[in-house]
Amino acid sequence: MNIFTDINLFPLWNSLRIAAIASVLVFFLGILCAYYVARLPRVLKGILDVFLTLPMVLPPTVCGYFLLLIFGTKRPLGMFLAQYGIKFVMTWYGGILAALVVAFPLMYRTARGAFESFDETLAYAGQTLGLSNSYIFWRIRMPACKQGIIAGVVLAFARALGEYGATSMLIGYTPGRTATISTTVYQLWRTNDEQGAFFWVMINLAISTVVLLTVNLLERKQRGHAKQTKAVKA
């Protein structure tokens, strides 16, 4: 068997679309939560911070278990959504939900750190000029924090792309329907197809390497920008 001609690339396409859609959702949700949580009192911020970052420390299979408890076909919410044709169990878009849950903390923590390091005097200056809060956020705050925000998106995408535990619990493995790179590696290994499993491991390794190089480049640019800012202020 020639693996390069016989391989089915659906797991790559499915993983990429799940990770891409989840990253877009995580981008907006992470920024929204990070911005408002960073402005809360310390006690309330601490409570919400623990809740929002809990999926980062829980085993992914536990996250998948909780998703099944909420969106399972025999659960109230799952049955309600099924009436409208929405089913997260054993569907490819259920993988988006699983990836979103496990990737969200990375985006949230990174964005919150970027917002907390933002020089608020820039926002105050914008307010004195009569600029709206929306304008200040998108034209002043976001550009100043863009390196951290982009790094959070890249990390969230990488986490979503490599997700296995919650994904396998919620959508399982169905060739041509729900298979992802991670679930395919396990399935091929389980069936003693080491050549096929190795192929997908190399694909995942290549993508992860590109992601890490991108994050390192962004961090280097962010440090350079911080040094320039300090030099100007000095």
Side-chain angles (χ1 to χ4, degrees):
M1 180 183 71
N2 188 338
I3 189 171
F4 296 103
T5 58
D6 294 343
I7 199 73
N8 180 5
L9 294 178
F10 176 82
L12 175 60
W13 152 245
N14 195 36
S15 295
L16 288 175
R17 67 174 174 178
I18 287 174
I21 297 173
S23 297
V24 172
L25 297 175
V26 163
F27 171 78
F28 290 103
L29 289 175
I31 287 177
L32 178 67
C33 293
Y35 177 71
Y36 286 105
V37 170
R39 301 162 67 90
L40 293 175
R42 179 180 299 179
V43 175
L44 183 57
K45 179 168 66 174
I47 294 173
L48 288 176
D49 190 63
V50 170
F51 175 77
L52 293 174
T53 57
L54 195 59
M56 188 166 61
V57 296
L58 285 176
T61 49
V62 174
C63 295
Y65 174 76
F66 281 120
L67 289 175
L68 284 174
L69 286 181
I70 299 172
F71 297 100
T73 54
K74 295 183 179 180
R75 302 295 174 177
L77 182 57
M79 290 188 292
F80 173 78
L81 293 175
Q83 296 176 0
Y84 299 94
I86 303 174
K87 182 182 177 183
F88 290 107
V89 179
M90 298 303 294
T91 59
W92 75 267
Y93 53 86
I96 298 174
L97 179 63
L100 188 152
V101 170
V102 298
F104 171 83
L106 290 172
M107 181 65 204
Y108 164 73
R109 294 292 295 227
T110 307
R112 203 196 74 181
F115 288 147
E116 289 178 343
S117 63
F118 174 73
D119 186 357
E120 290 293 336
T121 57
L122 297 176
Y124 299 148
Q127 290 174 351
T128 59
L129 295 174
L131 301 177
S132 66
N133 290 332
S134 177
Y135 184 95
I136 292 172
F137 181 83
W138 291 109
R139 297 298 183 89
I140 299 177
R141 190 181 301 272
M142 285 294 287
C145 301
K146 67 178 181 179
Q147 300 297 341
I149 299 296
I150 295 174
V153 173
V154 174
L155 287 172
F157 176 82
R159 182 66 185 87
L161 187 68
E163 162 54 26
Y164 171 76
T167 300
S168 62
M169 291 283 288
L170 190 63
I171 68 174
Y173 172 84
T174 304
R177 289 184 56 194
T178 66
T180 64
I181 293 176
S182 299
T183 57
T184 299
V185 169
Y186 174 75
Q187 181 66 18
L188 292 175
W189 172 82
R190 193 178 67 84
T191 56
N192 296 320
D193 186 355
E194 294 188 6
Q195 187 180 21
F198 182 77
F199 172 83
W200 287 111
V201 167
M202 290 296 101
I203 292 292
N204 208 345
L205 183 62
I207 297 174
S208 300
T209 300
V210 172
V211 168
L212 290 176
L213 290 174
T214 303
V215 171
N216 289 337
L217 179 62
L218 291 172
E219 289 179 347
R220 189 177 299 113
K221 287 184 177 180
Q222 189 174 19
R223 287 194 296 266
H225 177 73
K227 290 180 180 179
Q228 292 179 358
T229 303
K230 289 181 180 179
V232 171
K233 290 182 177 180

